[in-house]
């Protein structure tokens, strides 16, 4: 049966971030993920994880200026030093919070930068991040993000991500790069979820979910999650699936009221 991790950047938004760990544990989750830890001391996050017996399965490397609209730096020429400093910042958190995976956001391709320039910069940065993650026993993940929600994002389709990952590993040294398969983003870009997951499963080391339209809970849109969960289980996927959705009920308590999707789809948290 698939294992689900609560995404604390999306769920229980009525609570302060550090209080969401308790909410996730109370709801029955055994693991969490979130976008970024960097606004909080590592010790504070570590204590919440210990107190509530939660695994931290994923967070992102620093994305640049998130508030200004930046969504990663990996593909942006001229910011390699800043990218490396971000990896070092994440590495400072890792021993305390016990994160298992880093997601390296590719970034938005700047005006005037060619696809070849962006690709070469991305490959170099991902090779560096993969090596640094490997030193800490952390897996580096690459995710494709749909271009409806994030226009201009460098990696928009799962098979494109695989092609780029293959280039990273072509030197025979970099082998710590895996696919983060987001069901929501993949459905928006191309569909064909069951066959794509089957074909790419050996490269997938984390999944995320949300329904579409709306990016809400499973069962609120067009994706047949009951079929998909059974399919993923039958394929033998043993990783986590992050619940990276926006509760359709955005009022206080809406996250908890919406968690009935799990039982409705024959799953448990």
């Amino acid at each position: 049966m698939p294992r689900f991790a609560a995404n604390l950047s999306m769920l229980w938004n009525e609570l302060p971030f550090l209080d969401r760990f308790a909410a996730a544990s109370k709801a029955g989750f055994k693991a969490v993920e979130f976008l970024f830890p960097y606004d909080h001391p590592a010790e504070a996050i570590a204590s919440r994880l210990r107190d509530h017996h939660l695994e931290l399965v994923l967070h992102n490397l620093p994305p640049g200026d998130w508030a200004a609209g930046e969504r990663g730096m990996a593909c942006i020429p001229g910011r390699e030093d800043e990218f490396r400093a971000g990896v070092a910042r994440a590495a400072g958190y890792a021993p305390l919070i016990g994160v298992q995976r880093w997601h390296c956001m590719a970034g938005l391709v700047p005006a005037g930068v060619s696809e070849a320039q962006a690709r070469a910069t991305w490959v170099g940065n991902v090779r560096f991040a993969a090596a640094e993650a490997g030193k800490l026993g952390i897996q580096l993940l690459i995710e494709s993000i749909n271009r409806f929600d994030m226009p201009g994002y460098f990696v928009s389709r799962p098979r494109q991500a695989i092609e780029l990952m293959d280039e990273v590993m072509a030197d025979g040294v970099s082998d710590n790069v895996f696919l983060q398969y987001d069901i929501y983003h993949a459905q928006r870009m191309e569909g064909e979820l069951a066959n794509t997951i089957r074909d790419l499963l050996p490269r997938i080391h984390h999944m995320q979910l949300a329904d579409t339209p709306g990016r809400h809970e499973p069962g609120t849109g067009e994706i047949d999650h009951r079929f998909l969960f059974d399919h993923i289980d039958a394929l033998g996927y043993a990783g986590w699936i992050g619940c990276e959705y926006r509760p359709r009920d955005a009022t206080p308590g809406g996250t908890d009221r919406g968690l009935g999707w799990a039982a409705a789809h024959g799953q448990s948290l």
Side-chain angles (χ1 to χ4, degrees):
M1 181 173 290
R3 300 184 296 165
F4 299 100
N7 187 295
L8 300 186
S9 298
M10 303 286 273
L11 306 180
W12 295 287
N13 274 194
E14 72 272 20
L15 300 176
F17 175 75
L18 292 175
D19 291 344
R20 298 175 198 172
F21 294 83
S25 178
K26 184 178 179 181
F29 286 99
K30 303 299 187 294
V32 297
E33 62 177 34
F34 44 75
L35 291 180
F36 312 110
Y38 312 110
D39 287 340
H40 304 277
E43 295 83 355
I45 294 173
S47 68
R48 282 7 181 239
L49 292 166
R50 287 193 305 269
D51 290 349
H52 301 293
H53 310 288
L54 294 166
E55 294 183 46
L56 176 55
V57 299
L58 173 76
H59 71 68
N60 295 351
L61 293 175
D65 191 342
W66 184 265
E70 293 187 337
R71 294 297 182 263
M73 297 174 283
C75 77
I76 303 177
R79 296 182 66 177
E80 290 85 352
D81 289 346
E82 186 179 354
F83 178 86
R84 293 186 174 212
V87 173
R89 188 179 185 191
Y93 274 76
L96 287 171
I97 64 177
V99 63
Q100 300 169 12
R101 298 164 191 85
W102 285 339
H103 168 215
C104 177
M105 296 195 75
L108 310 178
V109 180
V113 172
S114 70
E115 194 278 337
Q117 289 175 307
R119 187 183 187 103
T121 304
W122 184 93
V123 168
N125 280 330
V126 170
R127 282 180 176 165
F128 173 82
E132 295 301 301
K135 294 174 185 177
L136 298 168
I138 295 170
Q139 296 178 348
L140 189 75
L141 303 184
I142 305 304
E143 178 187 20
S144 59
I145 297 178
N146 82 79
R147 288 188 172 176
F148 301 102
D149 289 0
M150 204 171 287
Y153 195 75
F154 180 59
V155 186
S156 61
R157 297 177 184 273
R159 295 183 191 277
Q160 178 198 9
I162 293 294
E163 291 176 3
L164 289 163
M165 290 159 54
D166 287 344
E167 187 168 341
V168 168
M169 295 186 288
D171 60 5
V173 177
S174 302
D175 61 355
N176 186 36
V177 187
F178 306 96
L179 182 63
Q180 178 174 319
Y181 187 89
D182 188 296
I183 292 166
Y184 165 78
H185 290 304
Q187 174 69 4
R188 292 216 67 191
M189 284 300 294
E190 61 188 11
E192 192 66 6
L193 299 174
N195 288 335
T196 302
I197 291 171
R198 180 200 63 212
D199 293 347
L200 302 184
L201 189 67
R203 312 290 293 273
I204 296 172
H205 279 227
H206 189 65
M207 294 190 192
Q208 291 175 321
L209 64 77
D211 219 328
T212 182
R215 203 173 185 177
H216 301 313
E217 297 91 334
T220 59
E222 67 188 10
I223 301 173
D224 186 347
H225 279 90
R226 177 178 283 275
F227 166 82
L228 207 57
F229 292 151
D230 289 345
H231 176 69
I232 290 168
D233 197 31
L235 290 172
Y237 175 70
W240 293 95
I241 301 178
C243 298
E244 194 185 39
Y245 63 81
R246 301 184 186 96
R248 182 166 58 177
D249 180 352
T251 62
T255 296
D256 289 306
R257 288 190 291 273
L259 289 174
W261 66 262
H265 289 81
Q267 305 296 316
S268 62
L269 299 177

